[in-house]
C-alpha cells in the first residue's frame, strides 16, 4: 500500500513489487490507513469540518465500501478483535468509537478531551490519548467499558508536554512520546 497525493493510493505486491491496483478518490485522506487481511480501511473527508467516512477498499476484488460516517477523523483507525476503532474529534470533544467489520456501531465512549492520536489496540484493550487535557484512558475492546484513566499532566510531565502522537504498546507497557521529544512508559 502506497498513498499518492492526498486522494488515492496504489497497492503493490510485497513479494515482487508489481502494482495490484490503484484507487482514486475525490475526498482527502485524514490519516494513514489500517491494513486488515486483503483490505485497506481508512477515513476520508470531503472538506474541513465535514463528516468523515470510514471506508474499506478490498484490493483483491476492487470493491470500495463506505462502512459508516463520523464527525471528523483525525487519526488512523486501529483494528483488532473483529472491530475498527476510531477517534472522532471535533469542537473540543472526542468520541472513541468501535465499529464491527460490517460498519455497524458496536459501542461509543464520549470523552471531553480532543484526540489527535490514533487509538491503539493491544490484547483486547484500547488505549485512547487525549492531547489537550492530557487524559490517557484504557477501555475493554469488546464492550467499551473504561478500565482506567490517568491525567498525564498529573503524572509528572510539564504543563507544556502534550501527547499528540499514537502510543505504542509492548509487553504490557504503554510508551508515550510527547512534543518535547521525551518518551514515557506506563504499565497497562
Amino acid at each position: 500500500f502506497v498513498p499518492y497525493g492526498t486522494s488515492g493510493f496504489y497497492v503493490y505486491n510485497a513479494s515482487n513489487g508489481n502494482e495490484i491496483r490503484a484507487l482514486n478518490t475525490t475526498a482527502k485522506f485524514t490519516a494513514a490507513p489500517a491494513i486488515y487481511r486483503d483490505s485497506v480501511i481508512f477515513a476520508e473527508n470531503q472538506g474541513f469540518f465535514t463528516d468523515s467516512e470510514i471506508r474499506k477498499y478490498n484490493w483483491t476484488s476492487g470493491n470500495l465500501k463506505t462502512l459508516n460516517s463520523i464527525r471528523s477523523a483525525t487519526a488512523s483507525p486501529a483494528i483488532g478483535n473483529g472491530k475498527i476503532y476510531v477517534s472522532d474529534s471535533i469542537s473540543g470533544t472526542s468520541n472513541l468509537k468501535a465499529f464491527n467489520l460490517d460498519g455497524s456501531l458496536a459501542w461509543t465512549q464520549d470523552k471531553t478531551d480532543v484526540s489527535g492520536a490514533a487509538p491503539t489496540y493491544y490484547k483486547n484493550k484500547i488505549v485512547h490519548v487525549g492531547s489537550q487535557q492530557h487524559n490517557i484512558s484504557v477501555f475493554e475492546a469488546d464492550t467499551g467499558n473504561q478500565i482506567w484513566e490517568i491525567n498525564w499532566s498529573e503524572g509528572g510531565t510539564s504543563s507544556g508536554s502534550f501527547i499528540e502522537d499514537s502510543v505504542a504498546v509492548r509487553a504490557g507497557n504503554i510508551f508515550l512520546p510527547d512534543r518535547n521529544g521525551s518518551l514515557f512508559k506506563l504499565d497497562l
Side-chain angles (χ1 to χ4, degrees):
F1 167 82
V2 179
Y4 65 91
T6 56
S7 60
F9 53 81
Y10 290 102
V11 178
Y12 291 96
N13 183 314
S15 300
N16 60 26
N18 292 335
E19 180 184 320
I20 297 172
R21 290 202 187 269
L23 174 70
N24 268 320
T25 65
T26 58
K28 305 295 182 201
F29 292 119
T30 57
I35 307 295
Y36 180 75
R37 296 186 181 158
D38 60 352
S39 296
V40 179
I41 298 174
F42 58 97
E44 66 178 1
N45 280 353
Q46 298 296 329
F48 194 62
F49 287 119
T50 62
D51 285 348
S52 297
E53 292 181 337
I54 306 300
R55 303 187 86 186
K56 178 180 176 183
Y57 177 66
N58 181 297
W59 63 73
T60 304
S61 67
N63 182 38
L64 177 65
K65 178 181 179 183
T66 298
L67 299 176
N68 213 312
S69 64
I70 59 176
R71 295 176 300 176
S72 179
T74 57
S76 301
I79 300 175
N81 207 33
K83 292 185 177 43
I84 303 163
Y85 304 92
V86 295
S87 181
D88 179 13
S89 297
I90 197 166
S91 301
T93 64
S94 177
N95 294 323
L96 177 63
K97 292 187 175 185
F99 295 98
N100 296 307
L101 292 174
D102 66 1
S104 61
L105 182 66
W107 54 260
T108 187
Q109 273 284 350
D110 296 329
K111 303 303 292 174
T112 58
D113 196 0
V114 171
S115 178
T120 303
Y121 177 87
Y122 179 78
K123 292 188 176 181
N124 203 36
K125 293 180 178 71
I126 292 293
V127 179
H128 180 267
V129 177
S131 56
Q132 291 182 346
Q133 295 175 6
H134 310 278
N135 293 321
I136 299 165
S137 308
V138 176
F139 300 92
E140 292 178 3
D142 285 338
T143 64
N145 293 334
Q146 186 169 304
I147 299 170
W148 60 262
E149 182 174 78
I150 184 173
N151 183 283
W152 191 240
S153 61
E154 296 170 3
T157 66
S158 69
S159 61
S161 183
F162 292 99
I163 309 296
E164 293 181 324
D165 293 321
S166 300
V167 299
V169 179
R170 174 94 171 124
N173 296 300
I174 302 171
F175 296 93
L176 308 118
D178 75 353
R179 74 163 57 157
N180 295 330
S182 299
L183 181 66
F184 301 94
K185 181 181 97 169
L186 291 173
D187 293 332
L188 183 60

